[in-house]
Amino acid sequence: MTRDSTNAVDVSNLAYRYDKVAALNGLYLRIPEGALYALLGANGSGKTTLLQVLMGIRVAQQGSVSILGSDISALTIQERARIGYVAEGQRLPRWMRLEQLEAYLAPLYATWDFALASQLRTRLDLDPARKLSTLSRGEYMKAALLCALAPRPKILLMDEPFTGMDVMVKDDLIRGVLDTAGSEGWTVIVSSHDIGELETMADWVGIMGGGRMRISEPMDTLRERFRYVDVTLGDAGSVPVMEQWIAVERAGQRLSFLVSNADDALAQRLTVQLPGATRVDVRDATLREVFVAMSKRTSAVAS
Amino acid sequence: MSFIAQVWHVMRKDARQVRVLLLVYVAAVAASAEHAIAPTDINPLLEMVVLLLFVLGMLVAAGLVQADSPTRNDAFWRTRPLRPMAVLAAKVVTIIVAVLLLAAVAQAMVLTILAVPFRAAVPLVGNSARIYATWLLVAVIVASATRDLRTFVVTLMAGAFATLVSISLIGAPKFQLALSHVELPLRLLGAAGGIIFVVHLYRGHDITRRTLLCGVFPVIALLLPMFAAAPGTPESELAGTSTAHLKLDLEAGSTPVRPEVRIRVEGAEAGKRYRIRSGVVVFHQHGKDTLQIKLPEELVELDRDSVVNFPIGDASRLQAPVDSIVLTGTLIVEAMASGDTLRYRQFSTAARDGRRVTITKVAPFFDDALLVLTTTRVEEGSTPVANGGAGDDGASTARLVNTVLHESIPLHRMRGGTSSRSILLSGVSLSESSDTYKAGPLDRFSRGRTVDAAWLKDAYVELTRWVLEHKYPVHDTVVLK
């Protein structure tokens, strides 16, 4: 694999183990610059570890990782300053007031944008005089986001930033990220269990399973590629399951599954393949349906 | 931001973060300094301030390290463009300046107030700072390997408990002597290992439990030398001492009691004074239990054969026939200086070496002949945990001398007591001894002479005492006011 300089992230054969548990196992990933990348995966699929490796908090035990064209182990302080990081449960210095935290961080970044910080503070409705220890969970994450965005990072890593937030706060955060990062052409990688939110904001999606990327492609391509099929059978007899059907589920006379790389003639073919079917509905799969299907497939392979 | 700028930036943040703890620490330094120079009786409660200072110093060091923990993967600083070595340097510089130097400077000021000459004060402060720095390095190592202050405190307490248990095992004189031979290499190894360990944690990632446990080794290497015997201590191995050296008073019956053991101290000079700091004699009794006797600490003068007689005490019960008992043992012997004669004028004198002597009571000297001599002395010694009485090392003769008439009155020590307190940091203490003397008769050349105020006007107190050779130098002259 050759390294592409237009990729914000280029990961090859990445492996990372916690004692006997392999969190990442030969992972390959390329994320183009400017992408809003949704990183999905079941619990324990390795999302957090991957983001921590990208942030430099953990060191890859195998493989290579490059960020913005530079090998992560050789990043200079200036290059590290171009990476922003927000994570659920991230430890901010809680004894500081928000304005103190900003004052502490600003000199560390040559690109710190005071005007942007001020805008975000207003937009996210944050009081600079409040101590971080007095902030609610949502406000705390907003503060973390402000501190990650104000340095105008070229790449922003967000690990479960919306966990436990109410809809209003989540909306504020997503808008904050989208408006700022989108208009500046920053690369944003966000992992979350909130697939619905990610579907609206991301233009790329990656689904992890078993320490590897199962899918990594533009959201549009993904939507076009996967079709959700809902079949109503005339009787409850056995049905031949095709190899290309993914996550087949049967409940009584209803049969549902996903098909990858389907063409327009899929419905017609299915009518022939399933002569007992009274109805065959084919539509674009949602991200949630693709994610669930891929996760089931991964766990089936693992078991 | 340059490396230096980052160090300064993190230092300012750290100072703000631990400011409350730092203020308490500064207050403790001030209280300790005041306690050291205050002309009050030594108060055990106030002595706790010194211990508090020590504990606070370690807590400040731990707080600073854990403000940017090297072991936590969720530490804030790891997600920011901060150089790990700049973060560590900021901690080290803050600890040195705000904790170590502050206390050392305060101690130096106290020593100056106590009239300790500069040349004597420098090594004293240096020694104190070295001991304190060792403990601060231990604190930094433990704090680096623990996740928060609570874990730090629990780990330290567990370590202290383990140390207490270990002392009973390694506190044996033989072990102390063995340690004294490797004291310096151990210290250097511990310091180097500790620094490498902490640097590794800050520079590294994914710190495993196994790596954290490696921190135990430098801590042990740093702390073990504190159990070592005093430097320059000659040792005497008594393995195989013949039973001929064992002299026993036999009571009626078969059980010998009140035995006295004669021990030849090899390598010691006959006629010289020594202090037996600690010693153990083991009686191997054929067919009976082995008996281990700890020798009392005392000042002894060796005879021509370099032999010391030790009464073993009533508690000992030797069961085997005397001829079948074999002695082995270890002594820690400290040589004393040949003598230190001090001359004190009445009421007020000040010595160049920092000793302060006050004759607090003279009358009714000539009726009942009582004199109380209070001596305050700055000396090396004491540990952060226990401040043992470090008063006189053994006064021998005291006289009241009239220089004009060449007459003298011998003074007999009736009673006395010593106590000491640390001067801010361990390693330097202020010892105070108070001795009450009773005057004897005038010497034979002066019999019949009336000792009155006029006689006393030209008189001084001459006190000869024995001091440890390796201790803080004692001068034999004083400057009279």
Side-chain angles (χ1 to χ4, degrees):
Chain A
M1 263 189 167
T2 54
R3 198 161 280 169
D4 190 343
S5 61
T6 61
N7 285 331
V9 172
D10 197 337
V11 176
S12 292
N13 196 26
L14 174 63
Y16 190 93
R17 298 182 69 86
Y18 295 99
D19 292 330
K20 292 175 182 172
V21 180
L24 302 175
N25 188 17
L27 182 140
Y28 290 85
L29 175 65
R30 280 179 180 174
I31 299 175
E33 280 189 24
L36 283 168
Y37 192 96
L39 186 62
L40 302 177
N43 287 335
S45 59
K47 302 186 297 295
T48 295
T49 306
L50 173 62
L51 291 176
Q52 287 181 339
V53 170
L54 295 179
M55 185 59 230
I57 296 171
R58 296 188 186 279
V59 176
Q61 293 159 352
Q62 177 192 301
S64 66
V65 178
S66 84
I67 299 275
L68 300 170
S70 302
D71 189 279
I72 196 158
S73 59
L75 286 184
T76 63
I77 285 293
Q78 289 75 21
E79 286 169 330
R80 275 178 59 92
R82 309 312 305 271
I83 307 173
Y85 182 78
V86 182
E88 183 209 6
Q90 185 177 2
R91 282 165 58 87
L92 300 179
R94 299 173 75 91
W95 59 275
M96 282 187 184
R97 293 193 298 272
L98 178 59
E99 60 194 359
Q100 287 176 319
L101 179 60
E102 288 179 42
Y104 174 60
L105 291 176
L108 299 175
Y109 297 91
T111 54
W112 185 273
D113 189 334
F114 289 93
L116 177 61
S118 176
Q119 272 175 29
L120 286 168
R121 220 183 297 125
T122 310
R123 172 169 198 156
L124 297 172
D125 194 24
L126 287 168
D127 179 359
R130 277 184 67 185
K131 269 194 173 182
L132 297 180
S133 58
T134 66
L135 298 182
S136 69
R137 187 187 175 91
E139 288 169 326
Y140 190 81
M141 287 310 293
K142 283 182 188 175
L145 185 68
L146 185 153
C147 294
L149 292 176
R152 295 191 163 276
K154 291 288 284 178
I155 180 164
L156 178 63
L157 308 172
M158 301 174 77
D159 186 13
E160 305 281 0
F162 312 126
T163 306
M165 285 183 194
D166 61 48
V167 180
M168 297 296 288
V169 175
K170 211 183 291 182
D171 196 48
D172 275 349
L173 278 178
I174 291 172
R175 280 170 191 277
V177 173
L178 285 181
D179 289 357
T180 315
S183 61
E184 300 280 342
W186 301 342
T187 306
V188 179
I189 305 172
V190 54
S191 84
S192 173
H193 287 112
D194 200 333
I195 297 170
E197 300 287 358
L198 289 184
E199 194 165 13
T200 60
M201 68 180 281
D203 52 19
W204 270 72
V205 65
I207 298 178
M208 288 185 73
R212 296 179 184 196
M213 297 305 302
R214 297 294 167 191
I215 283 174
S216 180
E217 59 193 73
M219 187 72 83
D220 293 342
T221 312
L222 185 86
R223 286 204 187 99
E224 285 172 14
R225 189 156 72 88
F226 285 95
R227 291 282 188 278
Y228 180 84
V229 180
D230 189 2
V231 180
T232 306
L233 300 166
D235 57 49
S238 65
V239 173
V241 176
M242 302 293 147
E243 199 177 322
Q244 61 269 38
W245 295 359
I246 304 167
V248 181
E249 281 191 6
R250 182 166 179 182
Q253 289 174 289
R254 283 194 65 181
L255 180 72
S256 62
F257 53 88
L258 252 61
V259 177
S260 174
N261 297 319
D263 54 24
D264 294 339
L266 175 65
Q268 283 181 330
R269 277 204 309 278
L270 286 171
T271 311
V272 175
Q273 287 168 348
L274 301 167
T278 57
R279 198 178 65 146
V280 175
D281 286 336
V282 178
R283 61 168 169 80
D284 287 351
T286 62
L287 183 57
R288 176 181 296 280
E289 286 160 350
V290 176
F291 169 66
V292 171
M294 297 312 295
S295 298
K296 281 183 177 169
R297 194 184 219 188
T298 304
S299 54
V301 169
S303 61
Chain B
M1 225 180 180
S2 68
F3 181 88
I4 300 290
Q6 280 203 353
V7 171
W8 177 238
H9 192 60
V10 176
M11 275 176 69
R12 285 192 302 166
K13 186 269 292 179
D14 283 346
R16 275 206 304 272
Q17 186 164 2
V18 297
R19 63 188 181 281
V20 175
L21 209 52
L22 265 179
L23 280 175
V24 175
Y25 178 73
V26 171
V29 169
S32 300
E34 201 275 336
H35 169 55
I37 55 178
T40 57
D41 289 340
I42 290 170
N43 185 334
L45 277 178
L46 279 174
E47 188 63 15
M48 292 297 286
V49 174
V50 176
L51 187 63
L52 178 71
L53 173 76
F54 182 79
V55 171
L56 275 173
M58 291 184 78
L59 278 179
V60 170
L64 285 167
V65 169
Q66 293 188 336
D68 294 300
S69 168
T71 49
R72 295 188 71 129
N73 275 324
D74 59 353
F76 180 66
W77 72 274
R78 286 221 182 260
T79 62
R80 302 291 152 180
L82 282 162
R83 294 174 180 85
M85 284 302 94
V87 175
L88 176 58
K91 312 293 171 193
V92 172
V93 174
T94 311
I95 291 169
I96 289 175
V97 174
V99 182
L100 184 60
L101 270 184
L102 179 75
V105 167
Q107 189 186 50
M109 287 169 66
V110 169
L111 291 179
T112 306
I113 291 168
L114 292 173
V116 177
F118 180 75
R119 284 175 64 182
V122 169
L124 286 175
V125 174
N127 184 49
S128 273
R130 181 187 59 75
I131 295 169
Y132 197 29
T134 301
W135 283 100
L136 290 176
L137 181 56
V138 167
V140 168
I141 293 169
V142 177
S144 298
T146 48
R147 289 175 66 81
D148 47 41
L149 268 186
R150 194 171 57 178
T151 323
F152 168 79
V153 171
V154 169
T155 307
L156 270 193
M157 286 173 71
F161 178 73
T163 306
L164 285 176
V165 172
S166 306
I167 283 174
S168 60
L169 302 172
I170 63 176
K174 209 162 190 171
F175 188 82
Q176 292 180 344
L177 283 169
L179 275 179
S180 66
H181 294 134
V182 290
E183 195 180 340
L184 185 63
L186 263 181
R187 273 195 195 136
L188 294 175
L189 198 68
I195 291 166
I196 290 170
F197 175 74
V198 177
V199 167
H200 175 73
L201 292 189
Y202 269 94
R203 288 179 68 96
H205 298 76
D206 311 327
I207 306 300
T208 61
R209 195 167 292 173
R210 200 176 301 167
T211 307
L212 292 181
L213 283 175
C214 289
V216 172
F217 298 109
V219 169
I220 290 174
L222 284 167
L223 297 185
L224 266 184
M226 294 186 185
F227 298 104
T233 301
E235 63 179 288
S236 171
E237 288 291 343
L238 303 176
T241 301
S242 78
T243 51
H245 288 158
L246 186 65
K247 197 171 80 183
L248 300 169
D249 294 327
L250 295 177
E251 276 189 351
S254 59
T255 308
V257 293
R258 293 196 194 87
E260 184 182 74
V261 58
R262 284 166 58 78
I263 296 172
R264 186 185 304 280
V265 182
E266 291 169 13
E269 291 176 38
K272 194 169 179 178
R273 289 211 174 200
Y274 292 88
R275 185 169 78 168
I276 308 299
R277 210 183 75 182
S278 65
V280 171
V281 176
V282 184
F283 295 81
H284 302 279
Q285 307 180 81
H286 182 69
K288 304 286 182 183
D289 294 340
T290 299
L291 195 65
Q292 183 170 304
I293 307 294
K294 198 159 186 180
L295 298 175
E297 182 175 318
E298 63 178 271
L299 193 70
V300 294
E301 190 164 2
L302 298 183
D303 61 19
R304 269 183 297 176
D305 295 330
S306 301
V307 168
V308 189
N309 293 320
F310 282 104
I312 302 302
D314 290 345
S316 311
R317 290 286 184 275
L318 298 178
Q319 300 162 313
V322 173
D323 291 347
S324 67
I325 293 175
V326 176
L327 275 178
T328 60
T330 309
L331 275 184
I332 292 179
V333 183
E334 292 175 324
M336 307 292 283
S338 58
D340 167 39
T341 304
L342 301 166
R343 294 178 171 191
Y344 304 139
R345 282 297 293 260
Q346 276 182 295
F347 305 115
S348 171
T349 63
R352 277 191 312 207
D353 61 352
R355 197 179 328 211
R356 289 179 161 191
V357 179
T358 317
I359 298 173
T360 55
K361 187 179 176 185
V362 178
F365 185 75
F366 302 106
D367 300 332
D368 200 16
L370 283 174
L371 175 143
V372 179
L373 193 65
T374 305
T375 307
T376 309
R377 190 157 62 144
V378 173
E379 62 181 22
E380 202 176 324
S382 87
T383 66
V385 204
N387 299 304
D392 285 347
D393 294 313
S396 54
T397 57
R399 296 191 302 166
L400 195 60
V401 181
N402 185 307
T403 48
V404 177
L405 300 170
H406 302 287
E407 292 172 346
S408 69
I409 302 172
L411 298 171
H412 302 294
R413 189 165 177 265
M414 303 298 291
R415 58 182 176 272
T418 62
S419 56
S420 76
R421 52 186 160 182
S422 296
I423 299 177
L424 277 102
L425 300 175
S426 72
V428 184
S429 61
L430 191 69
S431 70
E432 191 171 279
S433 63
S434 180
D435 299 295
T436 303
Y437 291 91
K438 184 174 190 276
L442 282 170
D443 61 36
R444 60 192 176 92
F445 302 108
S446 312
R447 280 201 187 125
R449 170 80 64 183
T450 303
V451 176
D452 51 17
W455 189 95
L456 200 60
K457 191 181 164 202
D458 299 316
Y460 59 84
V461 174
E462 184 189 85
L463 186 68
T464 303
R465 65 180 81 201
W466 296 89
V467 291
L468 289 176
E469 278 188 339
H470 69 268
K471 273 207 167 185
Y472 169 57
V474 174
H475 303 279
D476 59 358
T477 54
V478 293
V479 177
L480 300 181
K481 276 187 179 174

